[in-house]
Amino acid sequence: MTTLLDRRPAPIRVQAKTPRPTITALFVVAVGVAAYTGFRLPGEWAATLQSVSLTDGFHRRFLVGTLLAPFGHHYLVYAVASFLVLAALLTAVAIAFFRGRTESRRLVIVGWLLAPTGGYLFQEVGYFDQVLYLLLAGASWALHRNRPVLASVVMTLSVTVHEIALFTVLPVFGFALLRKFPFRRAGALLAPSTVACLVILALPPAAPGAVEKLRNTLSTADFRYRVDALSLFERTQAQSWQLYSVTRVLLYLVPIAIVVIGGLLLLQRPALAAAVAVAAPVLLAFGGWDDARWGFLLVSNFALVLWLRLGRRELDLPRAGVLAALLLVLTHVPMPYFDGYAPRGLTLVTPVEDAR
């Protein structure tokens, strides 16, 4: 397949680490718009799942709850922990922006923030997805510091946060490993986290009686726990499939995947590992009904992979136009929020047409 990059490779040059004032201002505006659009307090669903711990007999999604267990089942504890994770993740995004060596990399970050994904990041506060990508940032730092074993350990921890790590952060981590090491070495470093995730999936989600025991404990907590959140640990995957249409979720995700993978191929030479890392969240359609959430993770993986692939390569004008057009298309991806929330508009009043 012939792409723009195949026909005429873009020149590679090292840019100054300090971004131009204009794009710095654009980054600040993008963060502000994303925060205004999606900011909210952590929901009861997130607080309920943060109560799940290994010591209470749960075998999945237990790392965060196990770490927070000594502080008790209090909403304030979960809210503070949620905002600390969000702040740490935003810090990682800011570091990636300011230490990026090219304006192209910085534009990818700005575009991701201005797209619906920016607001979705803030409204998803408290969800384990943010912990997963924070751990990925930590593993990337370890790789950058030539500590691959530490990076592998960090990513192995990620599967104890949430099993969707298998289709989100682990493919991106594998792609990053392949950029740095030979295939066998990369496979050896990726194997522990992959095997750990498969073992977790093979185990029952919770020990007998663990769910009911936690329900009794949370019945006296200072927040209204979500019964349906704990029910996740009692259902089989076959029972979950009866509650939603996998086809409908795929029909939402596949067009987004076509856009981002097509854009990736136009901007860079085809690479199987890159395409797999971007498209992997599509498989989450078989894991649950959170289609907008999976779409958020799909676009986020695309931004991460593109950021990694650009490296020190500055896009020339035609490719910069392709990137701008791609980001513009992504702004039209609908990403409904959880719990009846909706993105805040930038106007102070409701348009007359909508008020009728």
Side-chain angles (χ1 to χ4, degrees):
M1 179 177 180
T2 302
T3 67
L4 292 174
L5 192 58
D6 291 329
R7 290 195 291 270
R8 184 168 59 85
I12 299 177
R13 62 180 186 271
V14 178
Q15 295 287 100
K17 288 188 176 182
T18 303
R20 297 174 183 174
T22 51
I23 195 169
T24 300
L26 187 58
F27 172 75
V28 173
V29 169
V31 173
V33 169
Y36 172 79
T37 301
F39 180 85
R40 66 159 176 151
L41 294 176
E44 294 166 345
W45 179 284
T48 302
L49 289 183
Q50 289 179 18
S51 305
V52 170
S53 68
L54 183 63
T55 53
D56 288 329
F58 289 85
H59 306 145
R60 296 181 188 174
R61 312 179 194 183
F62 57 79
L63 181 61
V64 173
T66 303
L67 294 176
L68 296 179
F71 301 98
H73 300 296
H74 306 292
Y75 178 79
L76 181 61
V77 171
Y78 301 136
V80 169
S82 299
F83 283 121
L84 286 176
V85 170
L86 177 59
L89 191 56
L90 289 172
T91 300
V93 172
I95 291 173
F97 176 84
F98 286 104
R99 291 190 177 180
R101 293 184 175 273
T102 66
E103 301 294 2
S104 298
R105 272 185 156 188
R106 294 169 185 139
L107 284 173
V108 170
I109 295 174
V110 170
W112 177 77
L113 287 168
L114 289 177
T117 44
Y120 203 92
L121 171 71
F122 281 87
Q123 77 90 32
E124 207 195 27
V125 61
Y127 275 70
F128 291 155
D129 307 348
Q130 298 190 351
V131 182
L132 291 179
Y133 283 88
L134 183 59
L135 291 175
L136 177 61
S140 300
W141 174 85
L143 280 181
H144 180 70
R145 303 290 293 180
N146 293 318
R147 297 178 181 176
V149 175
L150 175 60
S152 180
V153 170
V154 170
M155 294 312 296
T156 301
L157 286 175
S158 73
V159 304
T160 66
V161 174
H162 201 303
E163 62 275 12
I164 65 169
L166 186 63
F167 299 123
T168 54
V169 294
L170 290 188
V172 177
F173 180 61
F175 171 70
L177 288 173
L178 288 172
R179 288 173 55 84
K180 194 174 181 66
F181 301 107
F183 181 80
R184 288 188 179 181
R185 173 70 166 159
L189 291 168
L190 185 62
S193 53
T194 304
V195 172
C197 190
L198 294 176
V199 170
I200 286 175
L201 289 172
L203 294 173
V211 175
E212 188 60 33
K213 180 181 177 182
L214 184 57
R215 283 184 180 136
N216 293 333
T217 300
L218 294 181
S219 64
T220 59
D222 59 354
F223 65 94
R224 185 179 299 175
Y225 78 94
R226 291 284 295 268
V227 176
D228 49 348
L230 293 182
S231 297
L232 293 172
F233 298 91
E234 296 179 310
R235 289 196 301 266
T236 65
Q237 190 58 53
Q239 290 172 331
S240 294
W241 286 335
Q242 296 175 2
L243 300 178
Y244 75 102
S245 169
V246 174
T247 301
R248 289 180 64 88
V249 179
L250 285 174
L251 288 175
Y252 171 81
L253 293 175
V254 170
I256 303 174
I258 292 173
V259 169
V260 295
I261 293 176
L264 188 70
L265 296 181
L266 286 173
L267 291 167
Q268 296 281 300
R269 289 192 181 94
L272 180 60
V276 169
V278 171
V282 173
L283 296 176
L284 294 173
F286 298 95
W289 53 80
D290 290 341
D291 48 4
R293 182 178 164 205
W294 308 150
F296 164 72
L297 299 176
L298 175 60
V299 177
S300 297
N301 270 23
F302 161 72
L304 279 168
V305 170
L306 180 57
W307 190 90
L308 287 171
R309 292 201 74 191
L310 285 173
R312 298 184 179 185
R313 188 183 301 276
E314 188 72 84
L315 294 175
D316 58 13
L317 187 58
R319 294 175 189 81
V322 171
L323 177 60
L326 180 60
L327 294 174
L328 181 61
V329 171
L330 292 177
T331 62
H332 289 75
V333 175
M335 288 186 181
Y337 289 177
F338 299 122
D339 305 328
Y341 285 86
R344 296 182 185 88
L346 294 180
T347 57
L348 298 178
V349 297
T350 303
V352 175
E353 290 82 357
D354 293 340
R356 290 177 180 174

